[in-house]
Structure formats: C-alpha cells, structure tokens
Amino acid sequence: MGPSLSRREIEVLRHVALGETSKEIAGALGIGERTVNWHLERVFLKLGAGSRAEAVALAFELGIVHGRDDSRTSP
C-alpha cells in the first residue's frame, strides 16, 4: 500500500500527468497557482519524489494515477 495522498493531491497529480503547468492546473481546479505548488510539494514529500516527472512515475507504479485508456481513471 502506497502513501496516503489527499483527494486534492491526487487531482493535482493527475493534471501533472497530463503535462499541465501549475497555472493550467490552477485554472482547471479553481485554485491559486501557489496552492497547486503547495499540493505538489506535499506530493513530492509523501512519495519521496524530487520532480514532477518522478512523482508521476511513482504514482503510476503505485496505482495512484492510471493511464488515459484505463477505465479506473476518473474524468
């Protein structure tokens, strides 16, 4: 079982996996860019990641985020 990420952290991570910038994620989720970056810092800490790419890779490995064609991925 992987680290416990909040619903919002997972949401932010899904957008990162799509290649979106913090500004784009903020607009999509209706939150500030600094809030997006705060959530990402928490994700990095919880996953032990040093970058967005590493966080996404770990999230895929741990089953936290799924591919686009995976029916388990929420819209």
Side-chain angles (χ1 to χ4, degrees):
M1 183 173 203
S4 180
L5 300 181
S6 72
R7 180 186 58 80
R8 185 60 104 182
E9 290 165 349
I10 293 169
E11 229 175 348
V12 168
L13 197 49
R14 285 180 177 149
H15 283 272
V16 171
L18 295 173
E20 296 180 13
T21 65
S22 293
K23 186 174 184 175
E24 291 169 332
I25 297 167
L29 299 180
I31 58 177
E33 195 172 343
R34 286 179 59 190
T35 303
V36 169
N37 291 331
W38 183 82
H39 285 304
L40 280 174
E41 288 299 323
R42 300 293 302 159
V43 167
F44 290 174
L45 183 66
K46 290 179 179 181
L47 294 180
S51 68
R52 287 174 175 238
E54 186 178 8
V56 169
L58 289 167
F60 275 109
E61 277 182 37
L62 296 168
I64 296 167
V65 173
H66 306 284
R68 280 188 186 203
D69 296 332
D70 192 324
S71 62
R72 293 174 292 176
T73 303
S74 60

